Structure formats: C-alpha cells, structure tokens
Amino acid sequence: MVRKLTPKQQKFADEYIKSGNAADAARKAGYSKRSARSVGQENLTKPDIKQYIDEQMAEIASRRIMDATEAVELLTRIARGEEKETVISSTPEGVYESRKEADLKTRISAVKEILKRYPGDDKLVKAQIRKAEADADIAEAKASIMNASTDSTEAKVSEYLDKLDDVLGGDSDGN
C-alpha cells in the first residue's frame, strides 16, 4: 500500500526535483533552517518520497525524448510536405520570418528514413526510391541549366548536360 505524501513532503520532493539540493528543498518546503540538511537527507531515504521523485523524474525524461512514433510522424509530415521550415532573413529594413515547404531532396530523405525503419524486401518500393532520387537529381540539373546565365559559353551548358547524362545514365545529345 502506497502512503500518500504530506503537503510538506510533496513540496520537498517538488523542490528537490527542481534544484537537486536536499537541504535547499527542505528549507523551501518549510522545514527549519537548522535541521534542513539532515531532514533533506532523511527524506531522500523514505520510500514514498523516493518513489514519487523517481516517477516524476521518469515522466520529465519521457517528455524530453522523442519516441519512435513521434519520429516517424515527423518524417511522414516532412515527406508529405506538410511540415514547413521557418526561414529568417534580415534586410536593412528589418528581420522577416517566412515558412517554406521542405525541398524535394529533404522530402525524399524523410521517405528513405521511414523506409529504413520499416524495411521490407519489396522490389517495387526500392525501384520507386531509385526513381524518386533520379527525379530529384534531374530536377536539380534542369534548375542548374535554367539558372545558367545567358552569357555563359557552351562549355557551361555542356557541363550541365554531362551531369544530366550521368543522372539519366545515357546521352542527352542523342548519341
């Protein structure tokens, strides 16, 4: 049978959890200043108080650490594009905050991480991952080509086409 803590013992335990100092917790709980040190040490040996402190500390620790379900839920929100990233930019006029969707590569990484946690020997899933990675690489290469300045020479465009060839595993000039 678990005995309920007195209000003074409860206050002592709560203060001890905050500070980790038994004498200080005893003083704040209302024990006399002269006996605070010995009462604090004695309270820590009482099973009911010790159990209460241990339970509270375990609860605090469990709230701090993300469990597997939370991690997979977060990765799923990122993969679906539901999770937004806060971007803070500063200009001479002030600081601005905006929210943007995760880029394609980040979303693909999230999907891969989820699939690592739930491995299957599904060839279709592996093929879909390879296709998604290739699509992301192609999109990145195309964006690089589009961003190439108009005054760049054929060498720069050729370099981007070579990258695209590497991603596609073929030859984009038709050869």
Side-chain angles (χ1 to χ4, degrees):
M1 177 175 131
V2 176
R3 190 174 67 106
K4 200 169 185 186
L5 300 181
T6 67
K8 211 177 221 187
Q9 289 173 331
Q10 174 104 28
K11 177 81 170 156
F12 165 79
D14 291 337
E15 291 298 329
Y16 179 76
I17 290 168
K18 289 179 193 173
S19 70
N21 184 320
D24 187 46
R27 279 190 292 280
K28 288 181 179 176
Y31 293 97
S32 82
K33 292 181 182 181
R34 283 186 353 163
S35 64
R37 186 171 182 211
S38 61
V39 169
Q41 290 305 104
E42 181 184 332
N43 277 350
L44 290 177
T45 63
K46 292 181 179 177
D48 294 339
I49 296 174
K50 186 169 177 11
Q51 180 183 357
Y52 174 80
I53 290 171
D54 291 344
E55 288 170 357
Q56 294 302 311
M57 294 296 279
E59 187 179 322
I60 289 167
S62 73
R63 279 188 258 136
R64 283 186 180 164
I65 299 171
M66 177 184 288
D67 65 9
T69 303
E70 287 178 285
V72 173
E73 287 172 355
L74 173 63
L75 289 170
T76 301
R77 287 194 311 273
I78 292 169
R80 289 182 177 154
E82 297 167 356
E83 191 71 23
K84 305 289 185 192
E85 176 184 8
T86 301
V87 179
I88 299 174
S89 54
S90 98
T91 64
E93 293 83 36
V95 175
Y96 299 99
E97 194 175 291
S98 64
R99 299 191 48 81
K100 71 172 193 161
E101 189 174 296
D103 66 350
L104 188 58
K105 282 203 175 236
T106 303
R107 292 172 66 183
I108 290 169
S109 295
V111 170
K112 285 171 55 178
E113 196 61 38
I114 291 169
L115 293 174
K116 276 188 215 172
R117 294 173 193 272
Y118 297 100
D121 200 20
D122 191 351
K123 291 180 182 179
L124 176 62
V125 171
K126 289 179 182 175
Q128 288 172 334
I129 292 171
R130 281 195 309 275
K131 181 185 181 304
E133 288 174 334
D135 288 346
D137 290 340
I138 290 168
E140 187 177 307
K142 283 181 181 178
S144 296
I145 290 171
M146 298 305 287
N147 291 334
S149 63
T150 54
D151 60 4
S152 12
T153 60
E154 273 186 40
K156 201 161 205 168
V157 173
S158 176
E159 177 187 333
Y160 290 120
L161 287 174
D162 288 342
K163 284 184 182 178
L164 187 58
D165 286 342
D166 291 342
V167 169
L168 295 173
D171 193 2
S172 64
D173 348 346
N175 296 336

